[in-house]
Amino acid sequence: MKRIILLRHGQSLWNLENRFTGWTDVELSEQGREEARRAGRLIKDAGLIPEYYFTSYLRRAIHTLQIAAEEMELDWVPVLKDWHLNERHYGALQGLNKADTAVKYGEEQVRMWRRSFDVLPPLLTPDDERYPGNDLRYASLTNDELPLSESLQDTIARVRCCWEERIVPALQAHDTVLVAAHGNSLRGLAMMLQHLTAEEIMSVEIPTGRPWVFEVDDRMNVLKQYYL
């Protein structure tokens, strides 16, 4: 039996301010740091020993992993950072207050941007300072890979690359791996693990800082899943 632990990063400063974050590299709040510490304690107390870590290119996920690993006394475990695990890119909404945006565009429009499966938020333009092509960490990406905005469907499509090419091989080599990432990228992994439909994944909400454990067989069929 294999185990994959999904861990959504703790509360970020922009979560606290109710702002669209996406690929903006925002730090954890103090509550988020405490959530990460608690996650590490829960994993350790459950007797789970991750042998390989995955995370995104964004510091709120990276720091959640680092804090949790320190609590588990497993700081030495190898880590693979992959931009495919980044949060969904919210395009021109990034940095905007969600409540103010709802007043400007209407609650129904904002709900569609946030909760639909295939609707894109407003696009950035390449000359916008928020465009990821301006960020050194994405220098190796092609123009096709650099998003101007993403739907949940787009996000899940790129997460699938990491799942098939990196996470599954790691699970075949190790008994337990941990993925510290974001609400939407982790929904993508949950969708693949549980073979959920587009309609079913829309109702999945993953709490921050709460380890979600999937026990799987050698063919990645889920035998059991539970939160710690």
Side-chain angles (χ1 to χ4, degrees), residues 3-156:
R3 294 182 180 88
I4 177 170
I5 304 169
L6 306 184
L7 178 60
R8 183 181 178 187
H9 67 78
Q11 182 193 67
S12 75
L13 292 174
W14 278 16
N15 290 147
L16 186 60
E17 296 173 10
N18 197 32
R19 296 166 73 180
F20 289 99
T21 308
W23 283 31
T24 310
D25 201 14
V26 178
E27 183 55 273
L28 293 171
S29 67
E30 185 49 48
Q31 177 180 318
R33 291 178 176 276
E34 179 52 40
E35 288 174 344
R37 287 188 283 268
R38 180 174 180 272
R41 292 193 295 269
L42 286 170
I43 294 168
K44 183 178 181 180
D45 291 348
L48 301 176
I49 304 175
E51 300 163 89
Y52 208 93
Y53 299 140
F54 290 89
T55 192
S56 73
Y57 274 15
L58 301 170
R59 69 181 68 184
R60 57 192 186 274
I62 295 169
H63 292 174
T64 293
L65 176 58
Q66 291 170 341
I67 294 166
E70 183 177 1
E71 286 291 325
M72 292 185 283
E73 299 182 86
L74 294 173
D75 313 57
W76 50 269
V77 170
V79 182
L80 192 152
K81 298 183 179 76
D82 190 331
W83 71 271
H84 291 93
L85 293 172
N86 277 16
E87 178 58 290
R88 174 187 175 189
H89 196 293
Y90 275 100
L93 297 180
Q94 293 189 169
L96 302 182
N97 179 276
K98 294 175 183 176
D100 292 345
T101 305
V103 171
K104 182 175 181 178
Y105 294 102
E107 291 186 5
E108 180 59 24
Q109 179 62 73
V110 173
R111 188 193 69 79
M112 287 291 292
W113 285 333
R114 295 185 65 195
R115 298 302 180 191
S116 64
F117 186 71
D118 56 3
V119 174
L120 285 170
L123 274 62
L124 289 177
T125 56
D127 60 352
D128 192 302
E129 64 180 6
R130 296 170 292 176
Y131 176 56
N134 298 321
D135 193 321
L136 182 61
R137 80 193 80 187
Y138 306 117
S140 64
L141 274 61
T142 66
N143 287 336
D144 289 341
E145 291 173 319
L146 291 166
L148 298 174
S149 181
E150 289 180 310
S151 65
L152 178 59
Q153 184 177 35
D154 297 327
T155 306
I156 291 171

Side-chain angles (χ1 to χ4, degrees), residues 92 100 185 190 200:
D100 292 345
S185 53
E200 289 170 332

